[in-house]
Amino acid sequence: MIFKNLSLLCDFYEFTMSNGYLENGLDEQISYFDVFFRKVPDDGGFVVASGLNSIINYIQNLKFSKSDISYLRKTKLFDENFLTYLANFKFQGDIYSVREGEIVFANEPLLTVRAKVSQAQLLETFISLSLNHQSLIATKANRIARAAQGRAVLEFGARRAQGIDAALSGARAAFIGGASASSCTLACKLYKIPISGTMAHSWVQMFESEEEAFRKYCELYPQKAILLIDTYNVLQSGLVNAIKIFKEKRDSLKEFGVRIDSGNLCELSKKVRKILDDEGLKDCKIIASGALDEYEIQKLIKNGAKIDAFGVGERLITAKSSPVLGCVYKLVASEGKNGIKPAIKISENTEKINNPHFKKLFRIYDKKTKQALYDKLYLADEPIEKSNDLLYENLHIQVFKDGELVYKCPNTQQSKEYMLRQSAKFDKEILALNKPKIYEVLLSEKLEKLKNSLLKTKGVL
């Protein structure tokens, strides 16, 4: 984060509504808000959840400063009662969420807030932006990693990211989603992500000759000497000089390779690989970069490209082909003396009708194969039906209880490992990049009846 104080990072209507709740005696009303998305980007099969870590940090540090209060006072919309309320603000509610790295599907609650409505409302923007952005990038990275079929994917997007935090949180999300390393030094420091970087064309241009540029680089970085060979001509110049220096420095080089950033990557990689092998440099890696994404990588591999790793920049860090996830923050219930009262959002567009009430999310597995069969939403207090042939996994964990953090956050590497374990539980057809098999998200019979009952009450059914 570039700002330590992010308390005003929310849409202004959250303040006007919270003030309105206070003025109308509704601020103590317990409410339930679900965060979910309706459509998977790129027509994919699933989303990789990410962003919970940022939300936790935000809530733990959420405090309105004197400067914040002064600014809001100047709007002349709020009385001192509300400003005093903000000055003493401390989140006191509960939050339930899927873990970072979880495989999730449309209309499933990624996160649920249970809190006084005035408090829950103020969290909307930050929770939504964190889950929207980071889940989007984690999902894009996962698609690219799947396209690479086990080859390393290096996140190279910082300079094309849409802002400072997009570069930092984007690098973290990309790693959780499947990237092997990042070139963003600060992100690597903050989140303990493996760091990767080679050279720019300017390094080669700064020396009297390409050969000298390569020699100096190998002398400086013998532990990982990756030479960019397309500054002038890949086959006639770059590769020739790289081979000369690799042979000259072979005994001192721990790991070495070449990077191609332009031209016909498929044909060039084939020719480069053959020449390297013929020269006895079979352990020299070939890295490709330059406007890559899962679609380009898929084509390269299908056409037999000899590439060991892919450097992916702007199309990953901006999720260029499908840049919006669209998580929404919707009221699903309120709590009073008579218990929890469900709420439902009605729309002429049936896709926008949400699943009401406080819910729990389970993943159902085949007991023998341990393969995920479907997900199912239940009312929070509803007993789970059991079967000897099935296994049930509760995907929600409690993160905050009465405003206190009760969840031990895993580190970035652990979240990535969790993603890998969870994704391995799905049918390969669901993991397909193109026209994936639809994975069912079911409603329990009790939840289905409740939803239909509410729709009838509202005159929809």
Side-chain angles (χ1 to χ4, degrees):
M1 302 294 177
I2 56 173
F3 300 108
K4 291 183 179 179
N5 179 14
L6 299 173
S7 56
L8 296 186
L9 184 55
C10 58
D11 292 295
F12 191 57
Y13 75 9
E14 292 168 26
F15 290 108
T16 58
M17 284 192 290
S18 293
N19 178 56
Y21 297 140
L22 197 68
E23 290 293 318
N24 288 280
L26 295 173
D27 58 298
E28 294 292 316
Q29 177 72 59
I30 298 296
S31 62
Y32 295 77
F33 285 85
D34 277 355
V35 183
F36 59 94
F37 61 90
R38 300 186 179 104
K39 188 176 184 298
V40 178
D42 288 307
D43 294 319
F46 60 88
V47 160
V48 177
S50 184
L52 178 60
N53 185 269
S54 295
I55 293 167
I56 290 171
N57 289 336
Y58 171 75
I59 292 174
Q60 286 190 302
N61 293 285
L62 182 54
K63 184 177 181 181
F64 294 92
S65 68
K66 290 181 180 179
S67 174
D68 296 333
I69 302 300
S70 176
Y71 174 78
L72 292 172
R73 183 179 286 115
K74 289 176 183 177
T75 67
K76 298 182 179 180
L77 290 174
F78 309 114
D79 62 21
E80 291 303 313
N81 186 38
F82 180 61
L83 297 177
T84 299
Y85 167 79
L86 292 180
N88 298 318
F89 184 91
K90 183 183 185 304
F91 180 68
Q92 297 170 313
D94 304 334
I95 290 182
Y96 304 85
S97 177
V98 299
R99 295 168 175 83
E100 287 198 292
E102 188 61 81
I103 307 302
V104 290
F105 301 88
N107 299 308
E108 294 184 335
L110 278 63
L111 182 146
T112 297
V113 177
R114 176 193 177 274
K116 295 175 183 179
V117 65
S118 52
Q119 294 194 5
Q121 200 73 71
L122 290 172
L123 301 182
E124 177 179 357
T125 297
F126 193 88
I127 287 177
S128 298
L129 76 86
S130 296
L131 292 176
N132 268 318
H133 173 247
Q134 295 182 46
S135 298
L136 177 70
I137 302 306
T139 303
K140 189 64 171 179
N142 190 269
R143 289 178 59 80
I144 293 170
R146 279 182 281 144
Q149 298 180 25
R151 298 163 181 83
V153 172
L154 313 173
E155 185 275 309
F156 280 2
R159 70 188 66 184
R160 303 290 174 83
Q162 294 163 329
I164 296 171
D165 190 57
L168 298 175
S169 60
R172 180 179 181 276
F175 183 70
I176 290 173
S180 307
S182 173
S183 66
C184 182
T185 310
L186 181 55
C188 294
K189 175 191 173 185
L190 292 174
Y191 307 123
K192 295 181 173 56
I193 299 170
I195 196 165
S196 178
T198 58
M199 62 171 65
H201 295 105
S202 55
W203 172 271
V204 178
Q205 294 170 305
M206 282 295 293
F207 290 85
E208 289 297 321
S209 69
E210 189 176 50
E211 178 185 328
E212 183 186 2
F214 288 172
R215 179 177 289 107
K216 294 298 183 183
Y217 197 85
C218 287
E219 288 172 357
L220 283 169
Y221 308 112
Q223 66 273 34
K224 195 166 187 176
I226 307 297
L227 305 180
L228 182 59
I229 61 172
D230 71 334
T231 303
Y232 304 118
N233 185 290
V234 171
L235 298 177
Q236 296 178 19
S237 175
L239 183 60
V240 172
N241 286 314
I243 289 172
K244 180 177 181 179
I245 301 305
F246 287 152
K247 286 186 173 182
E248 178 184 305
K249 304 289 185 180
R250 183 68 178 267
D251 292 342
S252 64
L253 299 179
K254 184 177 180 181
E255 184 178 342
F256 60 101
V258 296
R259 178 163 73 96
I260 310 170
D261 190 54
S262 61
N264 187 324
L265 298 178
C266 185
E267 293 308 311
L268 284 172
S269 69
K270 290 177 184 178
K271 292 175 181 178
V272 168
R273 181 75 273 161
K274 185 178 187 308
I275 294 170
L276 287 170
D277 290 352
D278 290 345
E279 292 289 339
L281 297 171
K282 292 184 177 182
D283 48 349
C284 179
K285 304 294 184 184
I286 299 175
I287 300 169
S289 56
L292 295 176
D293 59 14
E294 69 268 41
Y295 306 107
E296 293 300 319
I297 290 172
Q298 204 172 36
K299 286 181 192 175
L300 286 167
I301 292 176
K302 182 180 179 180
N303 292 326
K306 301 299 182 181
I307 298 170
D308 301 294
F310 298 93
V312 188
E314 64 185 47
R315 297 189 184 185
L316 165 54
I317 206 67
T318 65
K320 184 178 179 181
S321 59
S322 190
V324 178
L325 176 55
C327 281
V328 292
Y329 190 89
K330 295 297 181 183
L331 179 71
V332 294
S334 58
E335 189 176 311
K337 294 179 180 179
N338 298 321
I340 302 175
K341 180 182 177 181
I344 192 167
K345 164 71 169 62
I346 303 298
S347 173
E348 291 182 4
N349 184 345
T350 56
E351 290 182 355
K352 291 193 173 184
I353 298 176
N354 67 285
N355 294 315
H357 218 293
F358 182 32
K359 300 173 290 294
K360 53 191 175 186
L361 174 62
F362 275 76
R363 183 153 294 157
I364 317 301
Y365 299 92
D366 183 290
K367 196 169 186 177
K368 290 183 179 179
T369 65
K370 304 297 189 295
Q371 188 173 84
L373 301 175
Y374 55 88
D375 286 3
K376 196 167 185 178
L377 283 166
Y378 298 84
L379 296 176
D381 61 354
E382 183 180 356
I384 308 299
E385 72 272 13
K386 295 296 181 180
S387 168
N388 292 330
D389 299 323
L390 302 174
L391 294 173
Y392 298 78
E393 180 185 17
N394 187 352
L395 297 186
H396 283 161
I397 44 99
Q398 185 160 14
V399 181
F400 284 91
K401 181 177 175 57
D402 299 327
E404 298 300 323
L405 182 65
V406 294
Y407 173 62
K408 184 179 180 180
C409 299
N411 61 38
T412 311
Q413 178 65 38
Q414 290 169 330
S415 293
K416 179 176 184 173
E417 290 169 357
Y418 180 79
M419 179 280 297
L420 293 171
R421 291 196 302 273
Q422 291 300 94
S423 59
K425 298 175 182 178
F426 289 89
D427 188 306
K428 289 183 179 179
E429 293 181 10
I430 293 166
L431 303 177
L433 289 176
N434 306 309
K435 297 181 179 179
K437 179 181 175 181
I438 295 174
Y439 182 81
E440 286 190 306
V441 178
L442 306 177
L443 306 185
S444 72
E445 184 178 348
K446 193 172 180 180
L447 179 55
E448 186 80 56
K449 285 182 178 179
L450 172 65
K451 185 175 182 179
N452 288 337
S453 174
L454 292 172
L455 291 174
K456 287 180 181 179
T457 302
K458 301 294 183 181
V460 177
L461 293 180

